């Protein structure tokens, strides 16, 4: 038997072989039995979580678990429900996609897109798994980070940087969310994204990239002390509440799940706490469903009767959540049918990398600052007050075609897997800077499944990297001060 220290055991080899056999069966019989494909996505998800846990010696609930969970839900949420023979009248294949496309996916189209998504999920996970490092069984020694050789100096810098930036960002974040609540109540949720009252662009949005990283930096710098938890949780709680009242169900939810994981990294939670959180989450889904029902007409129409109706409805809001999140699969469905040649501009990854700092860089190289999600919704489909969003898988296909898109997904698995692998769980105070980068980056890339790379790279640059540079600078200052006092 291969020993455990190598990170691979006979059990994992057998499970991988069984998955390979099942994939081959699906390849041969998927046209005659689509249920094989429905279940393949579910099998890949549990295979991914299990093999990551074994390879990295992490817990079941880890940053990669969160990343892979949302990746699967956004790209395969509908087929998961189809596996249990649950359907909705609004699902892909029952109506014309995106209003003006004149395209209704056929059964063969749905089979092909599920097959392609499953291959992409597998390659993404294999990329992440291949380059993941196993957590050491012993306490990790301090390593040099720039001018810094001890973790206490880094934590001091993080406490200072996180505290200062949070003092600036907390009022801006709360005020920004309060404005969104007022606009959503008066003009509906869509007004936040389209029209004269849009709040999703400009300098305020760039500043908002610093909010969650500063929150995490402050907590880690204070070693997750009781006082820092009270301050950070209070600020985030108000921020999330205002987000709920504005109709938002995405960004704050990702951040909340990440904060729960960070909490478990420092403080071991009993099983009853996890049960409570699951129960609270289920109730929360029902409440959010009621808010969603009126968010496009104005939240002033929300009433207690609507909440009661949601809890007594025949159709479960939990099932609706799978179908709504899984609607992102429509992007790759559309492009697999029409081909990636319908996108007339340059490689979007090149635009994301060069244009993240400033669109002037793109102009210098003769590239157009095109956001592919806006092009697809407004230019290609001609939608005025509605956006389709986009997807990581759809963008990979646009840039690389059928096979090149799968290669891109493998590469993204390597990059994102390395990015979110956090500090060893055997020493909760080891590698604070590594823990910060993993946690803050996860908050950005977890939404990559349904966002274009341009926005993801931009937020990583202005949010995570900017905070990292500040920590680096302050770490050097603390180190220099220490030696001057010692001398």
């Amino acid at each position: 038997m291969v020993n455990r220290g190598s990170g691979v055991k006979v059990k994992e080899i057998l499970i991988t072989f069984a998955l390979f056999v099942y994939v081959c069966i699906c390849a041969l019989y998927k046209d005659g039995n689509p249920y094989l494909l429905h279940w393949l996505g579910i099998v890949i998800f549990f295979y991914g979580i299990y093999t990551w846990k074994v390879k990295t010696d992490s817990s079941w609930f880890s940053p990669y678990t969160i990343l892979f969970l949302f990746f699967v839900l956004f790209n395969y949420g509908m087929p998961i429900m189809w596996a249990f023979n649950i359907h909705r009248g609004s699902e892909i294949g029952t109506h014309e996609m995106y209003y003006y496309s004149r395209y209704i996916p056929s059964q063969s189209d749905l089979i092909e897109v599920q097959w392609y998504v499953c291959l992409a999920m597998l390659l993404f996970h294999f990329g992440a798994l291949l380059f993941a490092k196993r957590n050491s069984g012993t306490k990790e020694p301090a390593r040099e980070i720039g001018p810094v050789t001890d973790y206490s100096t880094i934590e001091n810098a993080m406490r200072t940087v996180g505290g200062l930036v949070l003092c600036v960002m907390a009022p801006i974040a709360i005020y920004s969310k309060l404005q969104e609540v007022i606009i959503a109540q008066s003009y509906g949720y869509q007004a936040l994204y389209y029209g004269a009252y849009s709040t999703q662009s400009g300098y305020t949005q760039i500043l908002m990239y610093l909010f969650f990283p500063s929150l995490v930096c402050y907590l880690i710098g204070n070693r997750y002390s009781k006082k820092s938890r009270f301050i950070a949780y209070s600020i985030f709680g108000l921020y999330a509440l205002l987000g709920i009242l504005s109709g938002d169900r995405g960004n704050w939810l990702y951040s909340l799940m990440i904060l729960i994981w960070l909490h478990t990294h420092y403080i071991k939670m009993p099983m009853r706490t996890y049960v409570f959180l699951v129960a609270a989450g289920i109730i929360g889904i029902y409440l959010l469903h009621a808010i969603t029902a009126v968010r496009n007409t104005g939240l002033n129409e929300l009433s207690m009767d609507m909440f009661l109706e949601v809890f007594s409805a025949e159709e479960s809001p939990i099932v609706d959540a799978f179908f709504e999140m899984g609607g992102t699969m429509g992007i790759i469905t559309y492009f697999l049918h029409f081909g990636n040649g319908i996108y007339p501009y340059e490689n979007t990854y090149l635009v994301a990398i060069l244009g993240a700092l400033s669109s002037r860089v793109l102009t210098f190289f003769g590239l157009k600052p095109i956001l592919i999600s806006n092009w697809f919704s407004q230019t290609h489909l001609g939608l005025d007050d509605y956006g389709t969003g986009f997807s990581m898988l759809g963008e990979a296909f646009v840039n690389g075609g059928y096979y090149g898109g799968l290669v891109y997904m493998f590469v993204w698995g390597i990059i994102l897997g390395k990015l979110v692998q956090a500090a060893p769980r055997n020493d909760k105070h080891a590698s604070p800077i590594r823990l910060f980068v993993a946690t803050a980056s996860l908050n950005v890339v977890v939404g990559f499944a349904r966002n274009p790379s341009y926005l993801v790279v931009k937020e990583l640059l202005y949010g995570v990297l900017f905070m990292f540079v500040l920590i680096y600078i302050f770490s050097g200052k603390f180190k220099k001060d220490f030696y001057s006092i010692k001398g």
Side-chain angles (χ1 to χ4, degrees), residues 335-472:
F335 278 94
L336 278 174
H337 178 78
F338 289 101
N340 64 335
I342 62 176
Y343 184 68
Y345 301 104
E346 295 82 4
N347 187 295
T348 63
Y349 297 146
L350 181 63
V351 173
I353 294 171
L354 295 178
L357 183 62
S358 173
S359 59
R360 294 177 182 177
V361 178
L362 294 175
T363 304
F364 177 80
F365 285 99
L367 301 174
K368 293 185 177 181
I370 302 296
L371 187 62
I372 191 171
S373 55
N374 289 349
W375 168 85
F376 185 61
S377 297
Q378 276 76 56
T379 304
H380 181 72
L381 296 175
L383 303 175
D384 296 325
D385 56 354
Y386 165 69
T388 63
F390 216 72
S391 74
M392 176 169 59
L393 182 51
E395 189 171 3
F397 179 83
V398 167
N399 289 322
Y402 192 94
Y403 297 105
L406 295 176
V407 173
Y408 275 130
M409 292 307 299
F410 178 78
V411 174
W412 276 120
I414 297 172
I415 296 172
L416 301 188
K418 295 290 289 183
L419 199 60
V420 304
Q421 188 171 6
R425 61 173 175 156
N426 46 64
D427 183 4
K428 61 187 178 181
H429 296 300
S431 301
I433 193 69
R434 178 177 160 194
L435 179 61
F436 164 75
V437 171
T439 309
S441 297
L442 177 61
N443 190 62
V444 179
V445 301
V446 73
F448 191 11
R450 60 191 296 262
N451 284 317
S453 60
Y454 183 89
L455 297 179
V456 173
V457 175
K458 197 178 189 71
E459 188 167 355
L460 285 173
L461 176 66
Y462 283 101
V464 182
L465 183 59
F466 182 79
M467 289 290 294
F468 181 87
V469 171
L470 288 180
I471 295 169
Y472 178 90

Side-chain angles (χ1 to χ4, degrees), residues 140-152:
E140 182 177 298
R143 297 175 182 173
E144 185 175 4
I145 302 176
V148 186
T149 56
D150 64 276
Y151 293 143
S152 61

Side-chain angles (χ1 to χ4, degrees), residues 155-173:
E155 287 175 336
N156 287 336
M158 293 179 69
R159 180 166 59 251
T160 302
V161 171
L164 290 175
V165 178
L166 187 60
C167 284
V168 175
M169 287 310 307
I172 294 176

Side-chain angles (χ1 to χ4, degrees), residues 124-140:
F124 177 88
H125 175 63
F126 284 149
L129 199 64
L130 184 62
F131 289 88
K133 290 184 178 180
R134 183 175 180 79
N135 288 330
S136 173
T138 58
K139 182 175 180 178
E140 182 177 298

